[in-house]
Amino acid sequence: MLVLSTAKVSAQEELIYSQYHFNYYLVNPALAGAEPCHHFMISNRAQWVGMADAPMTQLLTYRGRVWRNVGIGAYLYNDRNGYSNQAGGQVTFAYHIPLSNGRRYTQKVSYDRQLSFGVSFKMKYFYINNDLFVEDPSAGSDNAFANTSGWQPNMNVGMYYKSYGGFLGLSFTNLIPVTADIYGDKEMPAPLTWFLFGGYTFDLGPRKDKYIEPMAMIKMNQYWETNLDINLKFGQEVSDMWGYWVQLSYRHGFNKDLDRNNFQSMVLMPMCGFRIKGFNIGYAFSLDLNNMVTQNGGTHEIMLGYSFCYTKPFCR
């Protein structure tokens, strides 16, 4: 119960951010329109398979370059976590500054080097399904909680730099310390959280149709709770018609309160993806390596995306 209650505090946003392997825009708004292309993506995440009332999240995202150096993005999500349910989304405005030599502020610039900035407005609606509770007739009330729903706005900002094969991003979310009145009491504001990620794409072979991409991301909040992700991806563009990639990721959490009971976050995540013309299909499996491994069958994520142009690093 301690583990589940701890996870519930931040599980809703964690479920969104965990899918950044398919779309870095989820953790950094500056990625909206960083490429001169329009991308759509839908995904479904089933967490802790085998456990009763395990969380399940559906996500729909869009990002694209709409005019010269201006990009926009948005996502909508729906999350079910036992009796607790959430739905929400965000809208993003981003601006991109080409840094390559030549025509720097026209529509036909080189995007090999670029500095991007983004800001998002987020809104979350949460509600409780009282029908899932066994009511006590002696309690004298038909409702398990006094307040069963509410709205919570917030904001995030980010910057992103890429130079040929290298990329680096920094973002901050939950900038507004908003409290919500739910469960009959004031909830603590979502903690201010920052993300720092970086990596490099190395082309392989004389045709440069294969690549390997190491990448790492640090996530930390104002309470010094930290996650470190280490990722290694290999991909091949077989032709203009199709390509594929495989990736192995490891996530390790650093939280002193959870260390005592061996509930520290340790997750191994193998994943793969295929591109068929403009369509992208991805699958990821997450396996807990701590004590939770004996209580669930892991987490499954499925992604389907479409790009209106060819971009080699689709997931960015």
Side-chain angles (χ1 to χ4, degrees):
M1 290 297 294
L2 174 63
V3 174
L4 294 179
S5 61
T6 302
K8 188 178 292 294
V9 173
S10 59
Q12 318 308 327
E13 289 189 310
E14 291 294 335
L15 290 172
I16 301 299
Y17 298 145
S18 293
Q19 301 184 58
Y20 79 89
H21 299 288
F22 296 142
N23 191 346
Y24 286 16
Y25 163 66
L26 297 177
V27 298
N28 192 325
L31 269 292
E35 299 167 349
C37 189
H38 298 273
H39 301 284
F40 288 90
M41 187 193 82
I42 59 174
S43 64
N44 183 76
R45 176 183 170 95
Q47 188 178 10
W48 300 342
V49 173
M51 296 184 67
D53 298 323
M56 182 170 291
T57 307
Q58 296 80 40
L59 178 67
L60 170 65
T61 71
Y62 160 77
R63 56 191 171 96
R65 184 80 64 100
V66 292
W67 181 74
R68 292 193 179 182
N69 302 323
V70 176
I72 61 173
Y75 70 66
L76 296 172
Y77 72 91
N78 178 65
D79 178 76
R80 186 197 67 204
N81 188 353
Y83 63 83
S84 175
N85 300 272
Q86 295 198 37
Q90 77 172 25
V91 292
T92 302
F93 173 86
Y95 190 80
H96 310 281
I97 304 173
L99 302 178
S100 301
N101 293 328
R103 296 165 291 181
R104 297 183 58 187
Y105 296 99
T106 68
Q107 290 181 304
K108 296 182 179 180
V109 297
S110 172
Y111 297 96
D112 291 330
R113 296 178 61 240
Q114 184 173 259
L115 181 62
S116 305
F117 300 91
V119 58
S120 297
F121 174 78
K122 304 192 298 182
M123 180 63 73
K124 178 172 65 177
Y125 175 72
F126 45 90
Y127 59 98
I128 299 172
N129 187 352
N130 275 342
D131 295 336
L132 297 180
F133 286 94
V134 178
E135 297 182 0
D136 182 4
S138 64
S141 174
D142 294 331
N143 295 320
F145 294 106
N147 300 308
T148 59
S149 64
W151 293 89
Q152 192 169 21
N154 223 304
M155 293 183 62
N156 60 5
V157 297
M159 61 180 299
Y160 174 69
Y161 172 74
K162 67 174 183 177
S163 178
Y164 301 94
F167 57 94
L168 181 68
L170 175 65
S171 60
F172 299 86
T173 190
N174 300 326
L175 297 178
I176 306 176
V178 179
T179 58
D181 187 3
I182 196 170
Y183 310 124
D185 199 359
K186 291 288 186 180
E187 291 289 293
M188 293 184 61
L192 175 66
T193 305
W194 59 270
F195 301 85
L196 175 65
F197 67 78
Y200 197 93
T201 303
F202 297 92
D203 290 322
L204 305 176
R207 296 174 53 192
K208 297 185 178 181
D209 57 336
K210 303 180 183 69
Y211 65 92
I212 187 170
E213 183 178 282
M215 178 267 192
M217 184 177 80
I218 298 175
K219 170 182 172 288
M220 180 183 294
N221 65 24
Q222 66 189 70
Y223 305 117
W224 302 101
E225 298 171 340
T226 306
N227 281 337
L228 171 64
D229 284 18
I230 300 175
N231 312 295
L232 183 63
K233 178 191 293 185
F234 170 81
Q236 181 178 8
E237 297 301 311
V238 180
S239 69
D240 292 340
M241 297 291 293
W242 73 283
Y244 69 91
W245 56 268
V246 293
Q247 178 171 312
L248 184 63
S249 300
Y250 174 73
R251 174 174 299 156
H252 193 97
F254 300 90
N255 187 331
K256 294 181 180 179
D257 294 333
L258 298 181
D259 268 333
R260 291 194 295 266
N261 296 314
N262 195 24
F263 286 133
Q264 193 62 268
S265 174
M266 296 183 292
V267 184
L268 187 67
M269 296 173 285
M271 60 192 75
C272 61
F274 299 89
R275 177 185 63 83
I276 305 174
K277 293 186 178 181
F279 288 96
N280 291 269
I281 303 170
Y283 169 76
F285 176 73
S286 302
L287 180 65
D288 292 284
L289 302 180
N290 56 13
N291 285 348
M292 286 291 289
V293 71
T294 61
Q295 305 179 40
N296 72 89
T299 297
H300 301 268
E301 298 177 42
I302 299 176
M303 176 274 291
L304 175 63
Y306 186 82
S307 299
F308 285 88
C309 67
Y310 166 73
T311 56
K312 183 175 179 179
F314 166 78
C315 297
R316 276 193 276 130

